[in-house]
Amino acid sequence: MLEAAKHLLTPSKRSNVPPFIVMDVMAAAAQLESKGVHIVHMEVGQPAAPAPATAIAAARAALEHGRIGYTETLGIPSLRARIARHYAEAYGLALDAGRVVVTTGSSGGFVLAFLALFEPGDRVALANPGYPPYRHILSALGCEPVLIETSAETRWALSAKALIAAHRQKPLAGVVVASPANPTGTMMDADALARLIAVAEAEGIRVISDEIYHGLDYAFSAETAAKLSERALVINSFSKYFCMTGWRVGWMVVPQSMVRAVDRLQGNLAISVPTLAQVAAQAAFDGKAEMEAVKHGYEENRRILTEGLPKAGLEKFLPVDGAFYLYADISKFSDDSLDFAKRMLNEAHVAATPGIDFDPVNGHNFLRFCYAGAAADMREAVARIGAWLKR
């Protein structure tokens, strides 16, 4: 009887996924702050700027004048239409709004996409380093994440050649590609992305394109997979470019044949995305001038770090093409990024995320810095890190 009772309190095996370490760093930083320590936050991939004024005004008006009830499962029709219009404005793509699905952030989109596209046991390729919840969600759903190493040879992006090599070794059901990428900030140009999609689809490998950092591109313009293939599934969000992380609203562009499957899944898992967030998201598109000003701030922060960190001692980092991340090589100082990050937090009072969160193979040699804060914070961080490393 005692053994039976223990079983009732035991979590499922599928729940045994690694923690998202960046959240642990955030919690440790908060503990120090509660003691009066000033921390420069560069750990969480979150804009310091608020949502655009247009979004906040629309939400306020909805609270004052409207009933906040359920919406249609796939999203408010006017928001879906506005997202489709965005593709015409940003990419020159005429997109059927019927293929747009509003989700609870990109995170909700990944759960829906993986459930709609893959069966338990399916192997799904991911670039390494990469966003940890890709592999954690896949594992929880019974799929097998397959990490494919990237290198300077391909500018730290997943190549068609590497994908096919992994597929020949053992068949893949899908691949997740991200440009700009987290944690590296590197990007794939349109030709490289088109080659990857064409090769994958020719082999029957389903493509999911994470485009959450679109709009935050500095080296060259990002291309959407939706323009390159109607079979690719695209995931995006209002969290990064539109500075709406806590609103938890994103979207997917799905192949026409998948719309009903995603509709059924979302209806059962969430009913619908929070109404207030959807109303604000639609109005966010009218705040583009405000968001472009925020983006220019990121560009300045990028300059401060790329010029300042080498002087501070962190001389090697991956190409800083887009998003708001810099992925720095710390092997000159440590081969334990978790310990390095803890010491930097406790001694220099700068919070950053250890590379092992993003790369279980080589992440012990890297640290991710988020530069979505204020320029003054970036300068302070460079000064603190330099003083700490040169002690």
Side-chain angles (χ1 to χ4, degrees), residues 80-142:
R80 296 171 70 199
R82 184 62 187 87
I83 291 171
R85 191 176 118 204
H86 165 71
Y87 280 83
E89 295 169 347
Y91 309 104
L93 173 65
L95 178 66
D96 178 2
R99 294 176 56 203
V100 175
V101 178
V102 183
T103 63
T104 48
S106 65
S107 301
F110 284 112
V111 173
L112 291 172
F114 295 161
L115 282 170
L117 296 181
F118 306 126
E119 303 292 348
D122 277 353
R123 303 175 77 246
V124 181
L126 309 169
N128 193 47
Y131 180 56
Y134 295 152
R135 61 181 190 270
H136 299 167
I137 295 170
L138 284 165
S139 296
L141 295 177

Side-chain angles (χ1 to χ4, degrees), residues 161-187:
K161 180 180 178 181
L163 179 69
I164 290 304
H167 184 57
R168 294 284 181 263
Q169 188 173 24
K170 190 175 180 181
L172 297 166
V175 59
V176 179
V177 60
S179 176
N182 179 8
T184 62
T186 56
M187 292 175 60

